[in-house]
Amino acid sequence: MGYSFPEEVLEHVLSFIDSDSDRNSVSLVCKSWHDIERWCRRRLFVGNCYAVSPAIAIRRFPELRSVSLKGKPHFADFNLVPHEWGGYAYPWIAAFAKAYPWLEELRLKRMVVSDEALELIAKKFKNFRVLVMYSCEGFSTDGLATIAANCRNLKELDLSESEVDDVSGNWLSQFPDSYTSLESLNITSLSSEIRFTALERLVGRCPNLKTLKLSHSVPLDLLPNLLQKAPQLVELGSGLHTKEVHPDLYSKLAGAFSGCKGLKRLCGLRDVVPSYLPTLYPICFGLTSLNLSDAPIQCPELIKLVSQCQNLQRLWVLDYIEDTGLIALAESCKDLRELRVFPSDPFGQEPNVSLTEQGLVSVSAGCPKLHSVLYFCRRMSNVALSTIARNRPNLTRFRLCIIERFRPDYITQEPLDVGFGAIVEHCKDLKRLSLSGLLTDRVFEYIGSHGKKLEMLSLAFAGDSDLGLHHVLSGCKSLRKLEIRDCPFGDKALLANAAKLETMRSLWMSACQVSYRACKLLGQKMPRLNVEVIAEQGHPDSSPDEYPVEKLYIYRTVSGPRSDMPSFVWTMDKNSALRSS
Amino acid sequence: MEGCSRKDEVCPQLLDLISKDREWVLKSGEGRSHGSPEEKKLELRLGPPGEDWTIKDNTNNNNYRERDESLRYLRYLSSMASMTHNCSNNNNNSNIINNTTTSCGKRGFLETVERNTGEEGYQVKTQQQQQQTKASFLQFQSSPPVITKESSQPCCTKVVDLQNTEKKAFSPASANTAVPNSSQKRSAPTAVVGWPPIRSFRKNLASSSSSKPANESQDVVPNKIASEKPVEVGKKGLFVKINMDGVPIGRKVDLTAYDSYEKLSSAVDELFRGLLAAQRDSSAGGIQTKHEEEKTITGLLDGSGEYTLVYEDNEGDRVLVGDVPWHMFVNTVKRLRVLKSSELSALCLGSSKQEKAPLDSALK
């Protein structure tokens, strides 16, 4: 370079660059850019908390303000990851407490957070503003009380789907009267009775409160008061349950909802009493997101509700909506971008509702912006999948769960290879895919050859042989996360594509046929991978090497094997192959 | 293609399991206290299938089986092997290893039998039902035993021979087991862990649901399923967390494994005895010998010991364990704690409700 311009200028320019991958590119330009960039990076995202150690992160980025961490593998959501597997937040928080006294935001997903960790957050970060714990566990309302009592500048407290040890609901009262900065509160997962007076006062004194998502224990008669105190709400989650229908409660509620002119997102409605649904009609037009996956509303009421939400972009709903409801959705909600249909009776043997592949086909035809789908149903056909693929080549996320395993195409009895093949072929920007139904190795051939942008793939009860896995590992160039359960994939594909594993965030395989020997070999040859074998039934050394391991979790890391493994997890390292078996 | 050699090594084991299974099949009609009533019915009915064989659901017939069924067959053979090894991992805390292995082997066997029975009744390749159902007359996809060159390996042939000779004895059994699945009338869902893939975070179901199934994979809408759910939960185990004063690591106990407070108390003792000794060991500087004498933890229920067992119920109150009948306790308990008896009166938290016996009065 002939000349250089001042660092401050570059820093200023970089402050407009938020995307992590862009920042990573910047840091590769030259040493000085690398240095400048690391000093001015404020946000860090760690997709796997064991891929890097707190020390390394702190050394590289000395001035962070916001950190996101993810712990357990995704299949932990379905109880496939044993309890106490790991994902502890405390070491990170303790390290941050020393290194980043000005840390403002922590977003944790699938991690174990103790009350001690929460206490550290409360006491060590003077300007702490955002705490999001999505699907976490390990803490109690005592920890929340400490946060409430000490974080004067807290803007956001989000406990969605976390398992909270609910000691008492008094923690809300710990927010001092002088505290007014709350903007977002999500306590849907708490079950204990909260002090309603405390909640009302809190809501009343926080003028910037935009998001309020309450647990179902908040009774209906409280809601009008809350809404009146917070007419500026943008997002509301609440039950609509009550023991009896009171006419004046109804009118109070209707009035309160009408007053919430800015309400855009609605969820909860657990135990909803259908006769209260019309109180929502005034706000339907403004809604962009509606989550009814807790609400056992039947089809006719659903249709009435949904057909008034012409600006809806996201709908999560139970399969009570049925095909007819989805047809109505397709006609009314032309701006729909994301649809999730959950099963109301997932373990029942017979369908309890009339929801089939037709519903999804209708929505794919009628909603041009639809790009994200999660759909539980009981039957599917190749022709339906092909139609969906042709209708919606802009799909980026497609997750189909046919409830009964190994279900073939219900019309032809063929496997669903061709249908899913059509999806990956036509949807060139597909980033996330989950398969189900009867599938052979062929579908993986399609995925390997067409799924070039695929980043996350979830497989269960699919495929015939190692060839299937080989297609995926060798063909999907952008693959980051692969999670597999109960598929007949063994050593060959894994070992042949070992190098691929270093380009991915993680691979999960459970109830497959990867032998212990292969795991040891991988661990020995690939020092930048942690090859973790989970064996709850006893040390894998006690069985012959060729026996398959129960569960296998492989992830790339720069910080070596972790030191907090429980007794049933072993990391295969370079010494493991030397251990006698 | 792959792993046939592995199958060779494994096949003998598979054969062993099959021969054991025969006995298991015949005995299983008696006194199995596990399994749903439906499954018991299956086990007892060893007669011919009768018109249950008619295909009720025309959407599933045998056509698709033409393709690759040989590979699938092999896959099952090898997956049987893996499942015999892996079987038990799906049993959260139960230790019926023998049964699970036999059941897995049984499954494999059944599967091969049904392949021979071909056209009779369809079998959708439904639930490879795992051990949790205990009755393992399970369904497999049935397909004609067209075997490719790979399966001409000796071990596989052996299995084929075996199934041929025993086909007669067993096809009724398999037929019977095929039937309920095929007609989809089975009322007891034989669930696989984590399938369908639904989040289990919804613990705060309708207030009537009193259990806190920490590891349940069921996610149910209260209105529809509330009546059925307790049965499933009871079968799978009721896990509640238990913490002990002075021990940082909590555990989980399966309350369905006990039927009385005494049993629970001794289980708690076993669970924490070692941990407590380890804590004492480490807190004393770790100078002691590794295996410090582990003191039994006694007097948990009557206040006479160093520790006392308390629980938190669904209303958030802390209650002394032992006050209410066992089944009531199981229905309302959300969490257990082992507290130092000396600190009990200081910790009488309770809620605004007063009707539970205050801890300090119970202590006296």
Side-chain angles (χ1 to χ4, degrees):
Chain A
M1 277 229 290
Y3 58 93
S4 57
F5 49 84
E7 283 184 16
E8 296 81 13
V9 176
L10 186 57
E11 265 193 47
H12 184 67
V13 169
L14 290 183
S15 65
F16 295 102
I17 301 183
D18 277 335
S19 132
D20 282 341
S21 57
D22 287 344
R23 281 207 164 238
N24 291 344
S25 307
V26 163
S27 66
L28 292 174
V29 168
C30 64
K31 272 195 187 156
S32 75
W33 279 43
H34 184 277
D35 212 37
I36 293 168
E37 194 281 317
R38 60 182 267 266
W39 277 96
C40 70
R41 192 175 309 207
R42 298 283 175 262
R43 307 182 148 270
L44 181 66
F45 170 78
V46 179
N48 173 5
C49 65
Y50 291 120
V52 66
S53 69
I56 294 176
I58 290 169
R59 194 171 66 217
R60 169 129 184 230
F61 300 116
E63 298 273 339
L64 293 180
R65 295 277 184 275
S66 161
V67 179
S68 300
L69 292 173
K70 292 192 184 178
K72 299 185 202 178
H74 173 238
F75 272 176
D77 287 355
F78 315 127
N79 297 324
L80 290 177
V81 178
H83 190 59
E84 277 161 32
W85 171 85
Y88 302 104
Y90 187 87
W92 286 89
I93 296 174
F96 290 162
K98 297 201 180 92
Y100 305 131
W102 297 109
L103 189 72
E104 294 176 8
E105 303 181 356
L106 263 181
R107 292 181 171 84
L108 307 172
K109 184 168 180 178
R110 282 189 212 105
M111 296 196 78
V112 178
V113 186
S114 59
D115 282 346
E116 289 72 28
L118 291 180
E119 199 175 328
L120 270 187
I121 294 174
K123 306 244 167 98
K124 300 287 187 180
F125 302 124
K126 300 296 173 208
N127 200 22
F128 198 71
R129 290 167 187 257
V130 172
L131 180 60
V132 176
M133 292 191 283
Y134 181 89
S135 191
C136 294
E137 56 170 350
F139 61 99
S140 76
T141 43
D142 289 346
L144 297 179
T146 330
I147 297 273
N150 292 286
C151 298
R152 295 302 152 95
N153 296 318
L154 193 70
K155 284 195 320 191
E156 182 174 342
L157 180 62
D158 184 342
L159 311 175
S160 10
E161 303 185 13
S162 289
E163 196 180 316
V164 184
D165 188 9
D166 231 329
V167 175
S168 87
N170 289 343
W171 65 275
L172 263 183
S173 333
Q174 297 300 310
F175 283 111
D177 288 338
S178 54
Y179 168 75
T180 57
S181 39
L182 193 63
E183 294 181 18
S184 170
L185 183 66
N186 180 339
I187 50 172
T188 45
S189 52
L190 294 178
S191 57
S192 67
E193 305 247 322
I194 46 181
R195 286 286 154 91
F196 299 131
T197 42
L199 176 64
E200 273 194 14
R201 284 203 315 269
L202 182 63
V203 169
R205 66 177 185 269
C206 295
N208 295 322
L209 189 67
K210 297 281 189 308
T211 297
L212 183 63
K213 289 163 122 174
L214 302 167
S215 64
H216 79 292
S217 65
V218 176
L220 187 57
D221 36 9
L222 194 63
L223 198 51
N225 282 357
L226 285 175
L227 292 179
Q228 269 147 19
K229 290 190 154 69
Q232 75 283 1
L233 276 181
V234 170
E235 184 166 8
L236 174 69
S238 179
L240 271 193
H241 62 281
T242 183
K243 295 192 175 64
E244 304 121 28
V245 179
H246 293 287
D248 54 60
L249 179 53
Y250 183 100
S251 54
K252 265 203 231 166
L253 197 57
F257 272 122
S258 318
C260 292
K261 305 236 180 282
L263 205 55
K264 288 196 156 27
R265 300 190 283 274
L266 185 64
C267 65
L269 302 186
R270 185 179 249 158
D271 304 335
V272 65
V273 175
S275 39
Y276 279 98
L277 282 176
T279 56
L280 294 172
Y281 293 168
I283 52 159
C284 282
F285 188 76
L287 286 180
T288 56
S289 165
L290 186 55
N291 180 352
L292 301 173
S293 56
D294 278 328
I297 310 175
Q298 301 297 319
C299 185
E301 282 92 24
L302 270 176
I303 294 182
K304 272 196 221 130
L305 191 62
V306 157
S307 44
Q308 296 186 59
C309 301
Q310 285 96 356
N311 288 311
L312 206 59
Q313 295 178 15
R314 178 168 65 185
L315 177 66
W316 293 19
V317 72
L318 288 169
D319 56 8
Y320 293 132
I321 195 168
E322 300 193 334
D323 290 340
T324 43
L326 289 174
I327 292 172
L329 178 72
E331 278 164 22
S332 321
C333 304
K334 294 301 184 187
D335 206 18
L336 195 71
R337 327 246 166 133
E338 178 181 332
L339 175 67
R340 297 196 188 190
V341 179
F342 296 98
S344 54
D345 183 17
F347 304 101
Q349 294 311 298
E350 295 184 30
N352 59 325
V353 292
S354 171
L355 179 102
T356 68
E357 81 284 5
Q358 290 310 313
L360 186 57
V361 171
S362 315
V363 178
S364 74
C367 301
K369 296 198 195 163
L370 184 74
H371 69 86
S372 172
V373 170
L374 169 60
Y375 200 74
F376 282 79
C377 60
R378 290 177 190 267
R379 71 176 204 199
M380 186 51 66
S381 65
N382 284 312
V383 72
L385 282 171
S386 304
T387 311
I388 292 167
R390 274 173 240 272
N391 286 342
R392 290 279 62 79
N394 52 326
L395 283 176
T396 57
R397 287 168 181 78
F398 189 73
R399 297 155 71 186
L400 179 70
C401 178
I402 302 167
I403 290 176
E404 199 176 331
R405 297 169 297 148
F406 308 115
R407 274 260 181 203
D409 177 324
Y410 77 97
I411 302 173
T412 65
Q413 302 311 313
E414 299 275 303
L416 290 170
D417 301 337
V418 171
F420 279 107
I423 296 275
V424 288
E425 190 187 332
H426 292 277
C427 306
K428 305 220 185 291
D429 290 327
L430 196 69
K431 292 206 298 213
R432 182 166 180 182
L433 179 63
S434 301
L435 309 178
S436 58
L438 183 66
L439 296 162
T440 72
D441 283 346
R442 245 177 101 192
V443 72
F444 299 117
E445 211 182 311
Y446 295 136
I447 292 175
S449 49
H450 295 290
K452 297 304 178 189
K453 298 227 178 128
L454 200 60
E455 296 182 14
M456 182 168 177
L457 181 61
S458 309
L459 310 176
F461 306 103
D464 304 314
S465 71
D466 268 43
L467 201 51
L469 181 59
H470 176 68
H471 284 310
V472 169
L473 289 178
S474 55
C476 297
K477 302 261 168 284
S478 315
L479 196 63
R480 292 188 301 119
K481 290 182 277 186
L482 180 57
E483 45 185 26
I484 304 174
R485 65 162 297 181
D486 294 274
C487 294
F489 300 146
D491 299 346
K492 287 200 171 159
L494 203 55
L495 294 175
N497 292 284
K500 169 77 173 171
L501 299 176
E502 280 189 7
T503 69
M504 292 165 52
R505 182 189 295 176
S506 64
L507 166 65
W508 169 277
M509 291 179 78
S510 56
C512 296
Q513 286 150 34
V514 180
S515 71
Y516 184 43
R517 172 180 295 141
C519 296
K520 288 198 281 190
L521 193 57
L522 262 181
Q524 188 195 15
K525 298 286 185 200
M526 312 286 296
R528 284 185 302 229
L529 294 180
N530 273 354
V531 179
E532 290 186 8
V533 169
I534 297 174
E536 291 178 278
Q537 295 308 319
H539 199 294
D541 273 349
S542 55
S543 324
D545 269 8
E546 54 272 7
Y547 269 35
V549 298
E550 291 170 25
K551 298 177 186 182
L552 175 60
Y553 187 49
I554 302 177
Y555 54 91
R556 66 178 174 187
T557 179
V558 294
S559 54
R562 56 184 176 117
S563 54
D564 60 2
M565 290 180 294
S567 56
F568 47 83
V569 178
W570 290 272
T571 302
M572 307 290 107
D573 55 22
K574 56 186 190 314
N575 300 316
S576 58
L578 303 174
R579 240 184 277 136
S580 59
S581 52
Chain B
M1 162 185 90
E2 84 292 349
C4 256
S5 57
R6 195 167 69 235
K7 290 195 199 80
D8 281 341
E9 289 145 20
V10 160
C11 277
Q13 188 189 21
L14 186 63
L15 291 179
D16 290 339
L17 290 169
I18 289 171
S19 58
K20 276 189 223 135
D21 280 344
R22 206 165 356 140
E23 295 163 358
W24 189 80
V25 168
L26 296 174
K27 273 198 279 203
S28 62
E30 318 152 3
R32 274 217 165 259
S33 54
H34 309 289
S36 72
E38 296 304 305
E39 287 157 338
K40 272 209 193 129
K41 253 197 278 175
L42 296 184
E43 298 165 62
L44 292 171
R45 261 196 293 136
L46 291 180
E51 74 254 22
D52 292 316
W53 271 116
T54 56
I55 297 173
K56 303 239 183 332
D57 182 355
N58 290 325
T59 63
N60 288 302
N61 59 48
N62 304 329
N63 296 343
Y64 69 89
R65 283 187 258 111
E66 322 267 315
R67 315 188 31 188
D68 303 327
E69 71 289 329
S70 55
L71 285 176
R72 231 171 271 129
Y73 171 89
L74 292 174
R75 174 206 346 177
Y76 277 123
L77 273 186
S78 59
S79 71
M80 282 317 104
S82 65
M83 277 184 208
T84 56
H85 186 69
N86 292 342
C87 265
S88 327
N89 71 344
N90 283 329
N91 251 334
N92 278 333
N93 272 330
S94 77
N95 295 310
I96 319 180
I97 307 266
N98 290 333
N99 287 345
T100 54
T101 43
T102 53
S103 69
C104 293
K106 175 82 192 132
R107 200 183 313 139
F109 179 78
L110 257 191
E111 195 245 351
T112 57
V113 168
E114 281 152 17
R115 288 181 186 283
N116 276 336
T117 57
E119 348 14 89
E120 295 168 326
Y122 79 100
Q123 278 83 30
V124 178
K125 202 158 83 179
T126 53
Q127 291 99 18
Q128 288 173 358
Q129 295 153 4
Q130 311 267 341
Q131 350 8 309
Q132 285 173 328
T133 65
K134 308 287 193 295
S136 56
F137 293 82
L138 300 174
Q139 268 337 285
F140 284 95
Q141 166 207 9
S142 152
S143 59
V146 173
I147 306 207
T148 63
K149 58 176 160 61
E150 284 140 332
S151 51
S152 62
Q153 302 286 337
C155 73
C156 308
T157 320
K158 267 192 236 153
V159 179
V160 172
D161 288 340
L162 185 65
Q163 78 196 18
N164 282 333
T165 54
E166 291 169 347
K167 175 171 139 184
K168 287 190 193 118
F170 284 91
S171 51
S174 64
N176 283 329
T177 60
V179 167
N181 289 340
S182 66
S183 63
Q184 288 189 327
K185 282 214 177 126
R186 225 169 345 136
S187 64
T190 44
V192 172
V193 172
W195 191 267
I198 300 172
R199 301 287 314 282
S200 59
F201 62 87
R202 290 179 188 163
K203 299 186 174 55
N204 310 331
L205 292 180
S207 50
S208 56
S209 161
S210 48
S211 55
K212 189 173 182 184
N215 273 332
E216 298 309 316
S217 59
Q218 293 156 345
D219 177 15
V220 292
V221 174
N223 289 358
K224 273 234 151 177
I225 313 277
S227 51
E228 297 162 27
K229 191 177 193 314
V231 177
E232 298 308 316
V233 168
K235 266 199 265 179
K236 281 204 173 64
L238 177 57
F239 290 93
V240 295
K241 284 194 193 165
I242 176 165
N243 283 82
M244 181 162 188
D245 268 354
V247 177
I249 301 174
R251 315 287 292 184
K252 275 190 171 159
V253 284
D254 178 2
L255 288 180
T256 58
Y258 317 109
D259 59 10
S260 72
Y261 287 117
E262 284 67 36
K263 293 204 182 136
L264 174 63
S265 174
S266 54
V268 170
D269 163 44
E270 273 177 42
L271 206 54
F272 282 108
R273 207 189 303 159
L275 284 176
L276 200 58
Q279 283 300 114
R280 288 198 181 116
D281 191 26
S282 62
S283 63
I287 306 170
Q288 275 88 341
T289 56
K290 214 166 178 208
H291 297 290
E292 213 205 39
E293 185 197 302
E294 294 177 347
K295 274 169 48 184
T296 320
I297 307 172
T298 55
L300 283 168
L301 300 174
D302 55 11
S304 65
E306 197 187 335
Y307 291 92
T308 300
L309 193 58
V310 304
Y311 73 97
E312 287 159 28
D313 65 10
N314 52 355
E315 284 161 348
D317 298 334
R318 276 204 182 168
V319 186
L320 207 58
V321 164
D323 278 352
V324 300
W326 174 257
H327 67 274
M328 264 184 73
F329 164 69
V330 171
N331 279 339
T332 55
V333 62
K334 294 219 123 186
R335 196 203 169 107
L336 285 164
R337 285 189 199 270
V338 184
L339 303 179
K340 278 201 141 73
S341 304
S342 51
E343 294 181 14
L344 266 178
S345 44
L347 288 168
C348 180
L349 288 184
S351 68
S352 52
K353 303 194 169 80
Q354 297 294 325
E355 62 260 23
K356 298 281 173 14
L359 296 176
D360 35 348
S361 71
L363 265 187
K364 288 185 184 127

